[in-house]
């Protein structure tokens, strides 16, 4: 989540879902967007998304994702975005979105991409999430990150329930100031002054990655598939590991994963819990 647009929020959400699944092949992953941009389904759908399945708006209105979840590429499940998402006036702290996900039988990890504002369902996503990932790429998005943490703290949520990831860092930018200060150094210094927790991992800006979503073919390709072996590929692998470790540290018990049994050994045990993360 970030109140500032253009920080790589949707790219992070979609690709983290893919990398988290790649790291743990038996872990169920569901991702959906509260924005109207179809970026997620364009990356994950095996074929053009069928209109037979409910979109996010219909699922929220019905208070069930049962008819909306679709299998996607890389083993990641997704829900179609809604062209228009009705607002919700209920108090986010009441946990409506979390209750809907639980009642729908959603298991594993849930990655939610939000709008670039702090209204309505965005706040419900923040309230539902075990961990909020806040991308920061410049001074404006740093100020936006402060607003996100202030919102969570206003609900009594500790700062450990959110963490900043420095995103779209341009390594070519240097600031001569007695030494050579990089953009990442400037941002980390500003975040430290604000007292905001930050992932050690970061994500660089990359023309190669940008071309995976904007190209003459109109295709949207994951970084794991289209930029394997690149610097950003390694950064996202590291971020996915760090994110999973952070989620596990928030609860005495790790995120449950399905029990894998050999053929004929009976049905595998269904996991009893799930965690959600909100970029």
């Amino acid at each position: 989540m970030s109140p500032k647009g253009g920080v790589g929020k949707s790219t992070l959400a979609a690709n983290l879902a893919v990398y988290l699944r790649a790291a743990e092949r038996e872990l169920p992953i569901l991702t959906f967007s509260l924005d109207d941009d179809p970026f997620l389904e364009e990356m994950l759908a095996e074929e053009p998304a069928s209109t037979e399945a409910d979109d996010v708006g219909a699922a929220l209105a019905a208070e069930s994702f049962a008819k909306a979840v679709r299998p996607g590429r890389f083993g990641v499940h997704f829900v179609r975005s809604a062209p228009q998402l009705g607002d919700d006036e209920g108090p986010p702290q009441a946990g409506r979105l979390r209750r809907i996900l639980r009642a729908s039988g959603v298991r594993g990890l849930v990655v939610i991409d939000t709008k670039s504002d702090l209204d309505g369902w965005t706040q419900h996503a923040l309230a539902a999430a075990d961990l909020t990932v806040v991308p920061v790429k410049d001074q404006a998005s740093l100020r936006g990150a402060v607003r996100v943490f202030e919102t969570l703290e206003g609900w009594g949520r500790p700062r450990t329930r959110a963490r900043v990831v420095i995103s779209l860092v341009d390594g070519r930018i240097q600031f001569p100031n007695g030494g050579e200060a990089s953009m990442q150094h400037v941002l980390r210094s500003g975040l430290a002054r604000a007292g905001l927790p930050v992932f050690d991992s970061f994500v660089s800006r990359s023309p190669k990655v940008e071309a995976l979503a904007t190209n003459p073919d109109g295709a949207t390709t994951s970084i794991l598939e289209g930029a394997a072996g690149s610097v950003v590929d390694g950064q996202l692998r590291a971020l996915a590991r760090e994110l999973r470790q952070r989620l596990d540290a928030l609860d005495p018990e790790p995120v449950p994963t399905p029990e894998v049994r050999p053929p004929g050994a009976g049905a595998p045990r269904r996991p009893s819990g799930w965690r959600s993360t909100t970029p």
Side-chain angles (χ1 to χ4, degrees), residues 257-272:
T257 56
E259 179 182 343
V260 181
R261 299 185 180 187
R269 175 180 56 84
R270 294 187 70 188
S272 59

Side-chain angles (χ1 to χ4, degrees), residues 221-234:
T221 306
S222 75
I223 293 169
L224 184 65
E225 182 179 35
S230 67
V231 170
V232 177
D233 173 50

Side-chain angles (χ1 to χ4, degrees), residues 115-251:
K115 288 185 177 182
S116 297
D117 60 47
L118 275 166
D119 298 331
W121 283 110
T122 299
Q123 292 196 32
H124 282 273
L126 292 177
D130 296 283
L131 180 66
T132 297
V133 179
V134 188
V136 165
K137 78 163 192 175
D138 52 24
Q139 193 66 37
S141 54
L142 194 158
R143 290 191 293 268
V146 171
R147 290 176 56 205
V148 173
F149 278 85
E150 288 175 347
T151 298
L152 293 171
E153 288 173 341
W155 299 338
R157 303 287 295 274
R159 289 199 168 193
T160 54
R161 293 291 177 173
R163 188 160 289 251
V164 170
V165 58
I166 295 178
S167 174
L168 300 181
V169 177
D170 192 332
R172 298 170 299 179
I173 299 176
Q174 299 290 326
F175 300 98
N177 187 20
E180 292 296 325
S182 66
M183 177 64 78
Q184 184 180 172
H185 174 79
V186 169
L187 292 174
R188 286 192 183 275
S189 296
L191 291 163
R193 287 193 297 272
L196 304 187
V198 188
F199 283 108
D200 292 332
S201 307
F202 64 96
V203 181
S204 298
R205 182 180 179 184
S206 165
K208 183 175 184 178
V209 169
E210 292 175 5
L212 296 179
T214 305
N215 52 70
D217 297 330
T220 301
T221 306
S222 75
I223 293 169
L224 184 65
E225 182 179 35
S230 67
V231 170
V232 177
D233 173 50
Q235 292 170 341
L236 277 170
R237 291 178 188 274
L239 179 59
R241 286 194 300 269
E242 194 176 352
L243 187 151
R244 181 58 194 266
Q245 291 168 0
R246 175 55 47 185
L247 281 171
D248 288 345
L250 292 176
D251 194 277

